[in-house]
Amino acid sequence: MLSKATIKYINSLQLKKFRQQYNKFTAEGHKIVIEVLKNAEIIPDKIFCTKEWAEDNRSLLKKYAAKVVIVTYNELKKISALQTPNHVLVVLSRFNHEPNQTIVQNDLSLVLETIQDPGNFGTILRTADWFGIQHIFCSRDCVDLYNSKVIQASMGAFLRVKVIYDDLSSIIEKNENIPVYGAMLGGQNLFKMKIAPKGLIVIGNEGKGISKKTEELLTHQIEIPSNGKTESLNAAIATAIICAVFRNS
Amino acid sequence: MLSKATIKYINSLQLKKFRQQYNKFTAEGHKIVIEVLKNAEIIPDKIFCTKEWAEDNRSLLKKYAAKVVIVTYNELKKISALQTPNHVLVVLSRFNHEPNQTIVQNDLSLVLETIQDPGNFGTILRTADWFGIQHIFCSRDCVDLYNSKVIQASMGAFLRVKVIYDDLSSIIEKNENIPVYGAMLGGQNLFKMKIAPKGLIVIGNEGKGISKKTEELLTHQIEIPSNGKTESLNAAIATAIICAVFRNS
């Protein structure tokens, strides 16, 4: 049985303020939790699951026996951020990622400026993971990685891709020898330009695009050519098309 | 002032059953409504807006004076499907699109099988519009085009792209002379195959992909090559990458 204090604590992790205060966050659902349990580098803080789920996944839970809390489905509903909770929720410690500068200098990384929509950010994480991109740098005003909608939309990619919040100018200054591409209307046609296999790809805010200040730091402006009449592409969609072309040129 | 009956009627349009019964749907927000009002082919049924919005857009509203209902922001909240309503909501008649077979036979079209997530479908519409794709065929169990989340995520693309619900097998049979591409794990590398400038591109369900039955109707299986460890791409992301490559090969 869950105490009121536990329910209150888990629900508080829906707010960034408390995620920072406790240095914890939640992740839910069979697929994501299985990935967490199989990941040797991640030690869950608590695992709340139904009796059936615990029985079905006994071997994976073995080494975490002291951390498992069996709950009813109705209790799970009280701590879940999902409309229809799955049978398991884990509490994890927030990461403390440092970039691997050798990889950043020799591979592609993403730089997100003021990305606000958690679904977009989670999808960008999932896409980066698909294309083997290991670092995502975020301006400090991007949506929080540990927002439950980001975690769920990332489909487990939050376990593999390093997300680092910093000032964009200092990120770009630290990597002054590699190209800095920015997705912008009026840039060079993505499909006709010469593409380096390394560099930073900057994606701007959903409504406003890349800021003037960041635009000045770009070495290349790129555009996804349009054949229609719509004004813009969704930010996660633009990111995916650019990553796909960079990885396959 | 809005009557209780009007509030009930507009809210009922959040359900597919009532959208079909009344043959109406709603669209919201400044950007989308401006597109509606500028579109000569679309005649709104009703326009609910605040006094300020009506004043700011007086010239566009002129020809629809008899259809404008001035409401307070609090009244708008009672009929809006958005968490934070914008200042305007229109009621529109559902479309009755017929495919233009000459275009379908000579251009690219999308075929969606059991796409369930309204955000994904809206984003696919917006992306199709960007790439000038004029037809999207949907299996009858795809999410409803007129779902308010689809309309909002499409950013006005629902006004330009024709969406036709039908049995997938009959759609494909009607177009037996053009290639039928399907996005599938294990298919040919999208970046290394010869691509025709016309045909149908089939995108499968978010969780299950393309069904066995539809797989048999494909003439080409295509795969977006991965460099990472994640299992899959989001359906709207996969659609966008494929459209981008087809339009720029």
Side-chain angles (χ1 to χ4, degrees), chain A residues 111-117 120-121 137-143 165 168 202-211 214 235:
Chain A
V111 177
L112 308 183
E113 182 172 35
T114 325
I115 289 292
Q116 300 280 285
D117 183 84
N120 277 345
F121 186 29
F137 297 97
C138 294
S139 63
R140 295 191 196 280
D141 57 358
C142 278
V143 58
Y165 288 81
L168 291 199
V202 184
I203 303 293
N205 169 261
E206 288 94 343
K208 296 174 196 158
I210 293 177
S211 70
T214 302

Side-chain angles (χ1 to χ4, degrees), chain A residues 168 175 239:
Chain A
L168 291 199
N175 294 288
T239 309

Side-chain angles (χ1 to χ4, degrees), chain A residues 2-103:
Chain A
L2 286 181
S3 70
K4 275 192 185 170
T6 303
I7 295 171
K8 196 176 162 190
Y9 162 65
I10 308 285
N11 283 324
S12 79
L13 298 178
Q14 291 309 314
L15 294 176
K16 185 176 175 181
K17 176 181 152 187
F18 293 108
R19 290 194 293 269
Q20 289 180 329
Q21 184 177 320
Y22 299 122
N23 200 31
K24 303 287 178 202
F25 69 104
T26 60
E28 298 191 53
H30 176 75
K31 257 188 158 174
I32 290 182
V33 176
I34 292 293
E35 282 206 54
V36 167
L37 298 180
K38 285 185 175 171
N39 191 313
E41 287 166 41
I42 294 184
I43 297 161
D45 202 57
K46 283 277 180 215
I47 305 160
F48 296 91
C49 61
T50 60
K51 206 176 151 194
E52 298 74 38
W53 196 88
E55 280 167 9
D56 288 347
N57 299 280
R58 203 181 307 169
S59 59
L60 271 173
L61 286 174
K62 217 170 201 174
K63 61 177 167 175
Y64 297 123
K67 294 167 183 284
V68 175
V69 181
I70 301 292
V71 293
T72 65
Y73 190 70
N74 273 332
E75 285 177 316
L76 199 64
K77 275 187 185 167
K78 291 183 188 165
I79 56 170
S80 171
L82 304 178
Q83 279 199 328
T84 314
N86 200 295
H87 289 268
V88 59
L89 176 153
V90 285
V91 178
L92 302 172
S93 295
R94 298 194 319 155
F95 309 125
N96 196 1
H97 288 314
E98 290 290 329
N100 178 328
Q101 273 302 122
T102 312
I103 294 175

Side-chain angles (χ1 to χ4, degrees), chain A residues 126-166:
Chain A
R126 183 176 171 192
T127 307
D129 193 25
W130 177 269
F131 288 114
I133 290 174
Q134 298 186 38
H135 293 86
I136 300 182
F137 297 97
C138 294
S139 63
R140 295 191 196 280
D141 57 358
C142 278
V143 58
D144 186 32
L145 167 64
Y146 306 104
N147 177 310
S148 64
K149 287 182 187 161
V150 175
I151 295 295
Q152 298 308 128
S154 88
M155 299 286 281
F158 71 95
L159 297 166
R160 287 178 292 271
V161 180
K162 287 182 181 173
V163 175
I164 297 125
Y165 288 81
D166 202 345

